[in-house]
Amino acid sequence: MDQNIKTLQQWIDESNSIVFFGGAGVSTESGIPDFRSVDGLYNQSYAYPPETILSHSFFLQNPEEFYRFYREKMLIQGAKPNAAHLKLAELERAGKLKAVVTQNIDGLHQAAGSKVVYELHGSTLRNYCMNCKKKYPIDFLLETTGVPRCPACGGIVRPDVVLYEEGLDGDVISGAVHAIQKADMLIIGGTSLVVYPAAGLINYYGGRKLVLINKSVTGMDSRADLAIHAPIGEVFSQITVG
């Protein structure tokens, strides 16, 4: 591990256009559960599987049950950025990190100070009326019960997150692809790289510093130039920014 950290440090020192691509494992150290680990949401018991509840069709057909699950399991209050979020923001301020591409919807990268963040799956912090498009903060969902309705027009207020069966935002994808193509180092962290099309974005990286940091082995380990199996916050806390 020590040698791997030294290599990671050296590559960061040598690079000036780093892109970070992250998943749920980046936020677990902030107390936000992931989906696919042993204790993740996908391995807990509900009347419906989480991937069913968080689908476009279920949202339309069973909005009461959708919002009950969404408020209980997806709106995590009091979470703070951890060492990984903070180090990435520091790397951006130093001019080394050019973008964060995240599958997470918790807004913790921005809370840590990151400015260029491509949120592939949207954000729980944003909500909008499906009818008049008026925007509402997260507090609106937390302060309402049942299916939230827009006070202005009565339309359903939905989270600005990408549900299963829905496509990703074209502008977000385009920005993420452009950043990855220009990167001289790509760090992938806290993701099992099984959710597509997001995971497919790494195919746009053509450099020779592909780093994979994840607690468990992934199917992409063989493609990495450097693979580190450890919690990402633990890894980044050992990195210094010159």
Side-chain angles (χ1 to χ4, degrees):
M1 170 63 79
D2 288 344
Q3 184 55 51
N4 283 341
I5 296 294
K6 288 179 182 178
T7 299
L8 177 61
Q9 180 73 66
Q10 179 183 341
W11 288 3
I12 289 175
D13 292 343
E14 295 171 349
S15 302
N16 293 298
S17 187
I18 304 169
V19 169
F20 178 80
F21 180 100
V26 178
S27 291
T28 52
E29 291 170 76
S30 293
I32 295 178
D34 70 355
F35 280 68
R36 291 178 170 79
S37 70
V38 174
D39 300 316
L41 290 179
Y42 281 179
N43 291 300
Q44 298 178 22
S45 297
Y46 296 96
Y48 303 90
E51 59 264 65
T52 297
I53 298 174
L54 296 173
S55 68
H56 178 78
S57 54
F58 190 93
F59 169 73
L60 294 179
Q61 295 164 11
N62 303 277
E64 289 272 359
E65 182 66 12
F66 171 88
Y67 280 105
R68 187 178 73 82
F69 176 87
Y70 186 81
R71 286 190 181 94
E72 180 181 340
K73 294 298 180 182
M74 306 302 289
L75 299 183
I76 309 298
Q77 299 183 68
K80 303 293 184 184
N82 61 50
H85 299 108
L86 296 170
K87 189 65 66 174
L88 289 166
E90 185 181 353
L91 285 167
E92 183 187 60
R93 288 193 297 273
K96 286 188 164 291
L97 184 79
K98 301 307 180 186
V100 169
V101 180
T102 181
Q103 296 172 288
N104 296 338
I105 57 177
D106 50 47
L108 289 180
H109 284 293
Q110 291 92 328
S114 291
K115 304 299 183 185
V116 183
V117 182
Y118 295 103
E119 295 174 309
L120 299 176
H121 298 151
S123 172
T124 60
L125 304 186
R126 301 187 300 268
N127 305 275
Y128 64 92
C129 173
M130 297 175 67
N131 184 38
C132 72
K133 309 305 178 186
K134 184 175 180 180
K135 297 178 181 179
Y136 291 92
I138 189 172
D139 289 346
F140 181 82
L141 286 193
L142 292 170
E143 292 165 0
T144 55
T145 57
V147 179
R149 295 281 178 177
C150 173
C153 75
I156 293 177
V157 175
R158 69 157 283 177
D160 189 9
V161 298
V162 179
L163 303 177
Y164 288 100
E165 304 167 353
E166 295 179 341
L168 304 187
D169 182 276
D171 290 339
V172 174
I173 286 289
S174 177
V177 167
H178 184 66
I180 291 171
Q181 286 177 327
K182 292 176 62 179
D184 60 7
M185 180 177 185
L186 178 62
I187 304 175
I188 301 171
T191 174
S192 53
L193 290 171
V194 297
V195 177
Y196 283 82
L201 293 179
I202 68 169
N203 294 325
Y204 290 96
Y205 177 66
R208 297 184 177 180
K209 294 177 185 173
L210 177 58
V211 180
L212 192 56
I213 305 170
N214 200 53
K215 286 202 293 187
S216 57
V217 174
T218 78
M220 296 287 188
D221 279 22
S222 61
R223 289 181 54 182
D225 300 300
L226 175 65
I228 300 175
H229 298 131
I232 189 161
E234 178 182 301
V235 171
F236 272 119
S237 65
Q238 300 177 65
I239 296 299
T240 58
V241 180

